[in-house]
Amino acid sequence: ITPTRHVPALLPMPRREGRVGVMKVLFALAALASLVTTAHAIYEDQVGSFDWHKEHLGRVTHATFVGSGATKRAFVASEQGAVSALDFKTGDIAWRHVLEPGDAVDRLVVAGRVLLSLSSHGKYLRGWSMKDGTLMWEAVTYTAAAPSAEAALEKQSDRGVDLLVLGRDADDDGVEDVAVLVRGEVQLRSLADGIVSWTAEAGAKTNDDSGSNDAARFDRLAIGAGDTILALGATATRGHPIACELDPGSGNVKRIATASGVSGLDLSQQMTVSGSDTNQGLLLFGAAREPGTSAGDEEVATKLFVVDVEKLLALSGSKSSGKDVGTVFAPETVSLDLGWGAVFAEPVRGVDGASDVAAARSGSALVRGSEKCALVTVDSFAGEFAKLKPADRVRVVQSWALDSGGNCPAAVSPATLVERVETKTVTKKAPAAKRAALRVAVVVADVETNVFTTSTTALEGAVFETKKFVTSTAATPLDRGGSRSAWLVVDGLSGTARVLATTADASLRRIDEKKSAPIWAREESVAMAGEVKFARLPPPKSAAAAAAEDLSVRPTLKESLATQILAAKARFGRATKSELATLTAQRRSRGDKLLPTRDANGFRAQILFLSPDGSLVSLHNGDGRMLWRLFLGGGVDTAGDANGAYRYSVLLPWKDALLGEDEERVLVLGTADVGGLGGAKKTRAVVIDAYTGAVAWEEVLPFEAAHVLPLPSASEAGSHDGSVDGGYSHGAPSAMLLVDAHAPSARVFPDTDDARRAASIDRQRVSFFTVDQEKSEVRGYALMPDVSGSGHNASFGSTHSPEDPSTYATTQIWTTKFPHELGSIVGYASKPGNEPVHTWVKVLGDRSTLFKYLSPNVIFVAVAPIGAAANREDAAVSAHLLDAATGRVLYRVRHPEARGPVHAVVCENWVVYHYFNTRAGRNTMSVLELFDDSEHRKGVAAGTLMMNALTSRSTENKETVSSFAPPPLRIMGQSYFVRPSATSLTATYSAKGVTQHQVLMGTGTDQVVALDKRWLDPRRPTKPSRETQEEGLLPYAEVLPIAPQAWVTTKHQVARLKGVVTAPANLESTVLCVAHGLDVFFTRLHPSRSYDMLDEEFSYLLLIVTLAALLFGALATQGMVLAKELDRHWK
């Protein structure tokens, strides 16, 4: 929604004869034509010209494959809830669906012609069309807690989730079936529609010889002898192995047994099944606690176990304890030198339904200890291994030493059948020789040589065949981090191995056996970014280099002419869909906006994305292409600890003292807890060149930073024109105070003379606050003098004068605690640092003024009941305005019959916040404006202020307003209904603050809508008067209108929208805007229209044609006038 342009009506003019009248008409038509070009709504052909939308997946955790050759596809699922199909040749997204927040995928397999996904801890089973991603059916496996008297205990403890593709019709209904294990139940469901055929309650209470009543927890499904379905697991407390055999046709329990003679099986880890063929026995393998301990003893798994499932089932109906059913042993007894401490075992499953059945025969798992990790197999009872003891059947395939972060450097893929066979033939009856066709891929991050090595290994035979086929230098562990996941696919005709691999930086790469470099790569860290900032591009290069770059993106004369013709056709509605697509493609691929250097208007910039793992990616705002990337999680820091332990959450602009104004750098801060609970806390500060992504310098600080306090003096010292860019001046070095999270102190960073001097100057005016939502408290802190009382800081090892210390004590100076009756804190907001303000007064329609209260210390806090209390009739939202320096409550207002969450934005002298009105059942936005109500500022005429400013008699310009002596305030407020629900609120800022603000609201539909501040004016009159009309106040309406052109993201949705970030361009009218989440959307905003520039989409061809037509019309009209005059004179 934008301001309405008031065009004065054309007044009647006296008739004039001859050329003068014609020229007047010509100029009037030209003026009207110029007004048409300033309309705010964009044309259909302009969509996509200056905005772009990039889809991402996030960190991929599951993958499976279908097809061959050019039609081959990879189906993937990510941590962020995306289920997608990728073109295996190019890595492009064919289709994608994003699940609801919290709905994480547990299993993803292909069964027949259906892609199956099991998510939300087994609650949702969905069948997807592999062709276009259509949701064919959805089944809810449970709607309440597991069937037990202790429902809460069941919900916390029963985590067993499994999906077993049977590959056949088990219930004789003509359609293949799938078995699902969830919440202690085994369900048989049809692949046609997901309808359940039968449900078996495998979870039950079991009595052991000690007389305890222990609940059964199942973890794994397998196929047993006679096509039966086996549910395998252990008891919840003592860890006794338990097995339940079910009839596949009816779901009846055939046998169920528990071996009380074996204990300690760890249910927090998945179990491995080995040897599920008829001529083999069935083994269960995994991690175990010390025998005799219970799950409540907080004992970690330090041992391994092997259980004979057939012997276990034979205990059904007997009173035997089954001590010979299984063995719990230390890893060292089977030549597994994993080191002392906890043991973790992860089974190797199959990449699809057929491979998963075959993988159960090999019994492979990745086992990790405190020093090493190893890929092991558990041999079956057949052949030469028939006489071995269960513990002796564990064999090591490969082993690796852990990296510096304690992670396994190897990523083992799910098993894949090299020889493709029909799903129905790969069951328990498949010959044992088929085991040779089962292979896995292993991607290892070799830190010593700084390369990734890839190999394939056969899970069979006395000697495991390993084929190492790639040593890639295109990506290294130093710049990508360690290996995280891998998936193997083998071409059925050529036998060529291809691998999809993910690394610690969340990138997804395709590696081929016959290629030394990745075929394609997807940078998915952008989808996980928590911090997003705009930064400048490098200045233009030499004249020759700039001309070459300009030539590469500037369209030719022929292309320009074709674009102008298509644009003219589109403006008059004569362009076809294909022509519109061609026009959009031409505008996206060519133009000055794609140059890799900055421009005078500030339209070209780079967008920096920082993920918690340390991935820093720069995208060009012209088309979203990646300029550079940097991963901070690889290698070790200056203290020798792994960089992967840090979590990064701060991204700020930075300026070094010795650099020129054209240089651009950023500061990244990350914190780590070295040594776990009670270990050392530290902060890593990295300064990065924003033009290249190179690390300029870094420092490890011996404390955990909780707050970053920029020092105003460091920014103001070198400011030439008062302009602010990202909170820091380009003419002065950056300096800040870092507040220790675990000690009442703040330290100067960097520890230089200039920074210490700035801290000494700013100590008394720097404060900060914390919001404790659990205790419903807001606490304010201030800085005290040097904690050591001297000028020496032992931590940093520097000596300086006592007047400029490097460490300051922090002390709590105020606390605001909200009563329990009001509820909990459900939202808060504060002003950004150094916001630009153009004027400090508001001129009213009667030419009087209101003085804005522009204190930077205003914070907004909303309190409301949460949980079940939010639905009470007396529930209300209480909004508070506090002063962050003193804790003074500036204003409070109560909104009855309302509830949170509350999203707010504080800008200049106003606050806008969004909540839900329970009585009306509608979303509501309220606005508060703060004005200085001092006596000497009441009713001051605008003319008086102008005259005082011109004659230099104004004293108000020199008046200091302090939080410790605040003036009386005049608060104006109003509330409006709004249709969309909000997830975030952001205000736009122009370079000098002249352009009016817009409130950008992230909606519940993952879109962004722009609300003009004029609609959110608390002074909107119910009965407009002449003064309010002259002031431009809009008449009051209870509902905020949202025009179609107000949707910033147009037709796009930014999946999992996290926030909206804006930055001013050099031109006052333009604001750069990016919405980020799982996707990224960029556009330019013009809150007050493009009043200081000519539209880049201005059609010069249309202008020339119009002027030519007007000139021809003028000449023709002039001839007609002369002829008429001649006829009149003759008469």
Side-chain angles (χ1 to χ4, degrees), residues 576-662:
T576 63
K577 290 185 177 180
S578 61
E579 288 176 333
L580 287 176
T582 302
L583 179 60
T584 302
Q586 290 177 351
R587 287 171 170 170
R588 284 181 175 178
S589 60
R590 306 300 292 269
D592 294 342
K593 65 179 183 179
L594 303 179
L595 288 173
T597 55
R598 72 180 71 155
D599 62 314
N601 294 330
F603 292 160
R604 294 195 300 266
Q606 57 178 321
I607 314 173
L608 303 180
F609 297 83
L610 176 66
S611 70
D613 294 335
S615 292
L616 184 62
V617 179
S618 170
L619 300 184
H620 195 292
N621 74 332
D623 56 358
R625 70 182 185 274
M626 186 177 69
L627 299 175
W628 54 263
R629 56 162 299 280
L630 174 68
F631 184 59
L632 300 173
V636 296
D637 59 18
T638 55
D641 294 320
N643 285 330
Y646 290 93
R647 288 297 172 263
Y648 301 87
S649 58
V650 176
L651 176 64
L652 295 172
W654 184 261
K655 185 68 178 180
D656 281 330
L658 301 179
L659 297 179
E661 293 187 5
D662 285 337

Side-chain angles (χ1 to χ4, degrees), residues 401-479:
L402 301 185
D403 59 21
S404 57
N407 300 314
C408 182
V412 180
S413 74
T416 301
L417 282 173
V418 176
E419 298 178 11
R420 300 306 300 170
V421 293
E422 294 296 329
T423 303
K424 293 183 179 180
T425 62
V426 185
T427 63
K428 61 186 190 328
K429 298 181 180 180
K434 284 293 183 182
R435 201 187 324 164
L438 199 65
R439 302 185 73 89
V440 295
V442 180
V443 181
V444 181
D446 193 336
V447 179
E448 295 183 358
T449 59
N450 196 29
V451 294
F452 286 103
T453 60
T454 307
S455 60
T456 60
T457 300
L459 301 178
E460 56 85 23
V463 178
F464 301 103
E465 177 190 351
T466 299
K467 183 179 180 182
K468 181 177 178 182
F469 62 84
V470 171
T471 301
S472 176
T473 57
T476 64
L478 186 60
D479 65 358

Side-chain angles (χ1 to χ4, degrees), residues 712-1006:
S713 296
S715 300
E716 298 168 359
S719 179
H720 302 292
D721 58 359
S723 63
V724 176
D725 187 353
Y728 293 92
S729 168
H730 283 286
S734 293
M736 59 187 62
L737 287 167
L738 301 180
V739 180
D740 195 329
H742 304 284
S745 64
R747 307 194 186 190
V748 180
F749 178 83
D751 191 15
T752 62
D753 292 338
D754 291 337
R756 291 191 296 270
R757 189 175 303 110
S760 179
I761 295 173
D762 297 331
R763 181 186 64 82
Q764 294 184 354
R765 58 173 176 167
V766 171
S767 62
F768 64 98
F769 67 96
T770 61
V771 178
D772 190 338
Q773 292 183 275
E774 294 183 358
K775 297 182 179 180
S776 296
E777 289 184 357
V778 182
R779 295 183 283 269
Y781 299 83
L783 301 179
M784 302 298 289
D786 179 20
V787 295
S788 61
S790 64
H792 181 70
N793 185 345
S795 300
F796 289 86
S798 60
T799 304
H800 45 80
S801 62
E803 289 77 12
D804 298 332
S806 61
T807 303
Y808 293 86
T810 61
T811 182
Q812 182 176 335
I813 58 175
W814 60 266
T815 301
T816 299
K817 183 175 179 60
F818 299 97
H820 177 72
E821 294 77 13
L822 294 180
S824 303
I825 296 177
V826 293
Y828 60 93
S830 61
K831 283 189 177 183
N834 297 339
E835 64 174 357
V837 179
H838 175 64
T839 178
W840 59 319
V841 296
K842 186 172 186 177
V843 181
L844 307 184
D846 59 357
R847 297 299 184 268
S848 63
T849 58
L850 292 175
F851 285 78
K852 301 177 183 178
Y853 184 69
L854 298 174
S855 171
N857 298 323
V858 175
I859 59 176
F860 169 86
V861 180
V863 181
I866 59 175
N871 298 322
R872 297 198 313 252
E873 293 185 359
D874 59 343
V877 171
S878 301
H880 304 76
L881 297 180
L882 307 179
D883 190 295
T886 62
R888 186 192 306 268
V889 179
L890 302 176
Y891 183 75
R892 63 165 62 95
V893 61
R894 182 176 182 270
H895 300 281
E897 298 178 312
R899 60 178 170 85
V902 177
H903 302 278
V905 59
V906 184
C907 176
E908 289 193 1
N909 69 315
W910 51 267
V911 181
V912 172
Y913 51 101
H914 180 286
Y915 54 93
F916 186 78
N917 188 310
T918 56
R919 179 179 182 181
R922 306 171 75 176
N923 297 302
T924 307
M925 294 187 74
S926 295
V927 57
L928 299 175
E929 288 196 4
L930 291 76
F931 296 97
D932 189 338
D933 203 34
S934 301
E935 288 295 331
H936 65 285
R937 289 182 171 175
K938 288 183 177 180
V940 179
T944 303
L945 292 178
M946 293 178 61
M947 186 61 64
N948 291 338
L950 292 175
T951 58
S952 302
R953 290 183 298 174
S954 176
T955 59
E956 285 80 7
N957 291 335
K958 300 179 181 179
E959 183 176 346
T960 301
V961 179
S962 172
S963 293
F964 295 97
L969 298 180
R970 179 182 178 185
I971 312 295
M972 300 181 182
Q974 188 59 272
S975 297
Y976 305 92
F977 291 124
V978 64
R979 291 181 177 87
S981 61
T983 57
S984 65
L985 293 181
T986 306
T988 61
Y989 289 92
S990 60
K992 303 296 182 182
V994 177
T995 302
Q996 65 179 349
H997 299 280
Q998 282 185 333
V999 176
L1000 303 181
M1001 179 171 65
T1003 68
T1005 58
D1006 290 336

